Amino acid sequence: MVIILFASCSKEKTETLSSPDGKTLLTFRLSEGNANYEVQKNGIDIISASRLGFLLDPGDSLCKGFKISSVSTSTFDETWQEVWGEETSVRNHYNELKIDLQEEAGKQRFLTVVFRAFDDGIGFRYEFPEQKGLKKFEISDELTEFAMVNNDSAWSIPAYKGVYYEILWKKSLLSKLDTVTTPVTIETSDGKYILLHEAALIDYAKMNLYPKEGSTLKADLTPWSTGIKVYAETPFYSPWRTIILADNLNQLSNSRLMLNLNESNKIEDVSWIHPAKYVGIWWGMHMEKYTWSQGPKHGATTANMKRYIDFAAEHKIPAVLVEGWNYGWDVDWVAHGDQFSFTRPYPDFDIDAIVKYAKDKGVEIIGHNETGGSTINYERQLDSAFAFFQAHGIHSVKTGYVNPLLDKKERHSSQYGVRHYLKVVETAGKYHIMVDNHEPVMPTGWQRTYPNFMTQEGVRGQEYDAWSQDGGNPPEHTCIVPFTRGLAGPMDFTFGTFNFNNPVYPQTRVQTTLAKQLALYVVIYSPLQMASDLPENYAGNPAFEFIELVGVEWEKSIVLDGKIGDYVMTARKDKNSGNWFVGAITDENSRHLALNLNFLDQGKKYMAKFFKDAPDSDWKTNPYPVVIEEKEVDASSVIDLYLAPGGGTAVYLMEI
Ligand code: NOJ
């Protein structure tokens, strides 16, 4: 570590930091007491002078009149193992530049900015050291800017319109963006990608962005109901602001910069944490076959649960999700989330009998805690809720926060929400419970620190194909989300529909072919992956074999080809068997893709099993035909894949 102390300050000072490969350059500049940064890659400007600092409440600021009090640099290089993920080993290699700033006049407060330069991009955060002049404080605005040099196109969703990030992603020029949430995926005019997001969002408000002037994006933190963005007390840290720079979609998907900027695993014994596929009564509720509440159509009955457990056991699906098992659903639960009891099962849900039946068949139950957005009620019961599950041998819980506001007051993405979600994850860990968080705050990589934080919703998932008034998710949607929302973390999208008739909303349906439903298990990543349709819709369909076969724990993942919004082809190597899976999907247009199998081990032979669209398949008119075909292949094989309109191909590659 090198520390340079500054005795005096001139009008302008610069410090630079390069990535380990020397290609990315970060320049920090203090000019007239104002701090800013710039980013270049391969000598080309990516981000021009961008402001840093804060406005504090009331009427105060921490953004000007600075001098540099010290600068230090360091280098770090480690390779760590993921408990689960899209690959097993992750290299965390960066150079760091730490700039300690101090106000020259007034309270002479300190603010530190830490930059890390990785080969795949830049991360930086603010640190507010413990000091006399700054103890408890309130942030009214974070002034961070990203002055993008080019007014490129970006994929985004608005931050304050719509709920829970369940919105269709749109592409527009940076200068034309709404106030959008991150991640924001920028497609540059020379075919490269820039991802703006954040890492380790802890005790802080979610960062959104808006175009302040031209293509300069400015941070906009989700406020509390008081209008304050963040309540803080020194020592305090902001989350990392992240800028991933990728030459292609494979590099973009395989960047682990966000995970690397989270703290390492805090859970010592991880033997109880394991990815899984699951089935459940969930789709039956959304198709209005079942109800969450008690009554003639109650879904979570002992008999129905046993039926699902039987199906899971027969098809080697390790887990069954139950929803609507506890008191609280009979009222208007969105308005009265405080009525939920997380330890009182309905009388027709014999939890002891169900968990025993499941255990005897080698199946686990995934519990469900819908809170209706009442975090106060949930936190009051949190320990007893998890102790209850643990006592029944239940090691996973799906949580839900259906309500436009938490506790009728605060946004999910506010510091209030962030504090709650982390408390749930930490408490769950103590009881050996894995979490599948619906209506979350946008993920930022907590799973590195808390590997029991498995997956989140925060996406317009399959349920929109049950009841959305606009007809369902358009075919291009799943060709967008792997490179937008999916880059923030795993998505509990819950595909796997085999029956496309919708008795309740006949105009709404899954807008894919059946083969595309299968391919999504490879294209969209989640360590908990649901086969969401009703068992009766899977019965006797040979295509279900792919869902039985497909992995959920990956050694390696490769985006073989793709164009955001048009098509994606992804290959993943199963961590346990060493077998490979490929998923290829398209939007509403049919297309041919060349599947080059050169990622397979050289010299080995594989049996490839294709689950593909028929020549006359079409998501709208003929979604069901799936042609299943086997073929011997090796690393030299190149296969022509035909994807029907709204279609896909799923491939299983087993070494022989
Ligand atoms: C919305 C969730 O996304 C869905 O999965 C769940 O079934 C309902 N809320 C009820 O909790």
Side-chain angles (χ1 to χ4, degrees):
M1 176 178 287
V2 187
I3 300 192
I4 309 154
L5 291 173
F6 288 84
S8 67
C9 74
S10 64
K11 287 288 170 225
E12 178 155 318
K13 280 207 154 41
T14 58
E15 293 293 332
T16 57
L17 174 73
S18 331
S19 56
D21 65 4
K23 291 185 184 165
T24 303
L25 183 74
L26 175 287
T27 305
F28 171 84
R29 184 170 287 113
L30 189 71
S31 178
E32 306 285 341
N34 299 316
N36 61 54
Y37 74 97
E38 294 169 17
V39 178
Q40 291 182 317
K41 186 162 181 187
N42 296 324
I44 296 166
D45 292 338
I46 307 283
I47 297 182
S48 59
S50 297
R51 203 170 175 199
L52 297 164
F54 295 88
L55 295 184
L56 306 182
D57 197 71
D60 192 1
S61 68
L62 194 57
C63 63
K64 54 181 195 268
F66 286 125
K67 65 177 182 190
I68 295 178
S69 68
S70 69
V71 175
S72 58
T73 57
S74 59
T75 288
F76 188 79
D77 191 1
E78 68 166 1
T79 297
W80 56 279
Q81 303 301 311
E82 293 206 68
V83 176
W84 49 262
E86 293 182 79
E87 65 183 346
T88 40
S89 294
V90 176
R91 186 165 181 201
N92 184 12
H93 188 196
Y94 60 81
N95 293 329
E96 183 179 284
L97 171 69
K98 195 169 177 183
I99 316 259
D100 295 314
L101 300 169
Q102 187 181 14
E103 290 173 316
E104 288 200 276
K107 295 182 194 153
Q108 300 187 322
R109 292 168 301 189
F110 294 92
L111 176 68
T112 297
V113 192
V114 181
F115 295 95
R116 287 186 185 168
F118 300 79
D119 288 348
D120 50 349
I122 301 286
F124 66 91
R125 78 170 179 188
Y126 300 94
E127 298 180 0
F128 302 81
E130 198 165 1
Q131 54 193 291
K132 267 206 210 104
L134 192 65
K135 293 198 177 317
K136 280 196 171 178
F137 63 105
E138 296 169 6
I139 297 175
S140 52
D141 198 10
E142 179 180 323
L143 301 174
T144 306
E145 288 176 2
F146 302 84
M148 308 312 296
V149 169
N150 297 316
N151 190 16
D152 288 318
S153 297
W155 293 92
S156 69
I157 51 171
Y160 301 112
K161 297 174 185 158
V163 280
Y164 328 127
Y165 313 117
E166 294 173 4
I167 308 164
L168 295 173
W169 291 73
K170 291 271 174 292
K171 186 169 160 175
S172 67
L173 289 175
L174 288 168
S175 58
K176 296 260 166 28
L177 292 179
D178 200 332
T179 299
V180 297
T181 195
T182 70
V184 170
T185 307
I186 301 170
E187 290 184 319
T188 69
S189 50
D190 57 349
K192 300 192 164 94
Y193 301 90
I194 304 170
L195 186 85
L196 302 178
H197 187 39
E198 60 183 316
L201 169 57
I202 290 168
D203 199 13
Y204 204 85
K206 170 84 193 80
M207 180 177 73
N208 311 300
L209 296 172
Y210 69 91
K212 188 182 157 203
E213 209 187 334
S215 49
T216 294
L217 304 180
K218 185 192 162 298
D220 164 276
L221 303 180
T222 301
W224 287 68
S225 54
T226 55
I228 295 295
K229 308 287 172 53
V230 175
Y231 292 92
E233 184 172 359
T234 56
F236 192 73
Y237 308 92
S238 76
W240 293 91
R241 278 64 190 92
T242 60
I243 305 154
I244 294 174
L245 305 171
D247 291 343
N248 52 53
L249 287 177
N250 183 45
Q251 278 185 11
L252 184 68
S253 291
N254 274 299
S255 168
R256 304 288 170 242
L257 189 145
M258 180 186 71
L259 288 181
N260 280 331
L261 288 169
N262 277 268
E263 296 291 314
S264 53
N265 179 15
K266 285 192 177 168
I267 298 179
E268 257 172 50
D269 170 17
V270 292
S271 59
W272 51 276
I273 300 175
H274 45 81
K277 284 175 274 190
Y278 69 100
V279 291
I281 54 178
W282 172 86
W283 188 243
M285 256 89 103
H286 288 272
M287 297 307 282
E288 298 186 15
K289 180 178 181 192
Y290 303 131
T291 57
W292 280 275
S293 57
Q294 295 182 90
K297 293 205 293 181
H298 187 210
T301 64
T302 308
N304 205 24
M305 288 307 295
K306 286 187 175 172
R307 198 167 68 86
Y308 274 77
I309 293 164
D310 287 343
F311 177 84
E314 195 185 322
H315 295 277
K316 299 189 182 60
I317 303 286
V320 176
L321 167 70
V322 57
E323 296 197 14
W325 62 275
N326 57 322
Y327 275 94
W329 295 93
D330 313 79
V331 291
D332 173 359
W333 56 271
V334 179
H336 301 286
D338 54 355
Q339 298 301 302
F340 279 112
S341 162
F342 301 106
T343 49
R344 239 186 110 209
Y346 281 138
D348 55 354
F349 181 82
D350 183 345
I351 188 160
D352 294 311
I354 290 165
V355 293
K356 178 167 186 322
Y357 190 80
K359 195 168 179 217
D360 289 348
K361 298 221 161 191
V363 171
E364 291 216 8
I365 299 295
I366 301 178
H368 185 222
N369 285 167
E370 173 57 61
T371 67
S374 178
T375 70
I376 295 171
N377 180 47
Y378 196 31
E379 288 194 20
R380 210 184 283 132
Q381 300 183 59
L382 207 50
D383 281 278
S384 51
F386 294 149
F388 178 82
F389 281 143
Q390 192 183 36
H392 286 93
I394 294 176
H395 294 297
S396 313
V397 61
K398 171 176 166 178
T399 56
Y401 297 86
V402 177
N403 203 306
L405 293 173
L406 300 177
D407 301 305
K408 304 205 163 68
K409 221 169 156 197
E410 307 295 347
R411 291 192 165 92
H412 294 60
S413 59
S414 66
Q415 185 185 24
Y416 181 86
V418 169
R419 283 178 177 167
H420 170 75
Y421 293 121
L422 194 61
K423 183 172 184 175
V424 171
V425 173
E426 281 180 326
T427 312
K430 288 190 207 144
Y431 293 89
H432 287 193
I433 305 263
M434 294 173 265
V435 176
D436 169 0
N437 175 197
H438 279 223
E439 297 83 34
V441 61
M442 185 63 77
T444 57
W446 291 355
Q447 68 269 32
R448 179 175 180 202
T449 317
Y450 305 97
N452 64 317
F453 189 48
M454 305 301 283
T455 190
Q456 296 83 56
E457 193 186 33
V459 65
R460 228 184 96 127
Q462 197 89 343
E463 63 192 13
Y464 279 75
D465 300 326
W467 40 253
S468 183
Q469 297 307 302
D470 61 8
N473 293 322
E476 66 167 15
H477 182 55
T478 42
C479 301
I480 300 170
V481 292
F483 306 112
T484 53
R485 160 65 183 84
L487 298 176
M491 286 182 282
D492 192 33
F493 198 99
T494 64
F495 23 77
T497 306
F498 272 34
N499 182 345
F500 294 36
N501 294 327
N502 187 334
V504 192
Y505 300 101
Q507 304 313 318
T508 301
R509 58 161 273 212
V510 173
Q511 298 184 15
T512 72
T513 64
L514 203 156
K516 181 170 171 180
Q517 287 295 306
L518 304 179
L520 286 168
Y521 286 88
V522 187
V523 172
I524 292 188
Y525 172 66
S526 175
L528 296 178
Q529 204 70 288
M530 185 177 205
S532 60
D533 211 334
L534 311 169
E536 51 270 39
N537 291 337
Y538 290 136
N541 193 327
F544 193 73
E545 188 195 357
F546 186 79
I547 300 181
E548 293 176 341
L549 291 169
V550 70
V552 278
E553 298 195 64
W554 305 112
E555 185 181 318
K556 203 177 172 188
S557 301
I558 312 170
V559 175
L560 300 170
D561 199 358
K563 184 163 183 344
I564 305 179
D566 293 350
Y567 67 97
V568 191
M569 182 160 62
T570 302
R572 299 189 196 268
K573 186 176 190 184
D574 185 69
K575 185 170 155 182
N576 301 312
S577 66
N579 294 326
W580 283 86
F581 294 85
V582 175
I585 60 170
T586 180
D587 60 3
E588 66 284 2
N589 300 306
S590 66
R591 68 187 77 235
H592 286 269
L593 295 178
L595 170 59
N596 188 333
L597 294 174
N598 57 7
F599 54 84
L600 296 175
D601 286 349
Q602 297 291 331
K604 288 186 179 165
K605 294 261 171 233
Y606 293 80
M607 182 54 72
K609 195 159 188 176
F610 296 84
F611 297 74
K612 54 187 201 179
D613 293 323
D616 60 347
S617 291
D618 184 306
W619 77 265
K620 234 187 222 166
T621 54
N622 192 25
Y624 293 116
V626 178
V627 177
I628 303 177
E629 213 172 72
E630 288 192 24
K631 194 176 180 168
E632 207 178 294
V633 296
D634 60 28
S636 68
S637 309
V638 179
I639 317 276
D640 171 50
L641 299 184
Y642 168 70
L643 312 182
T649 298
V651 192
Y652 169 59
L653 293 141
M654 190 187 67
E655 196 189 321
I656 46 176

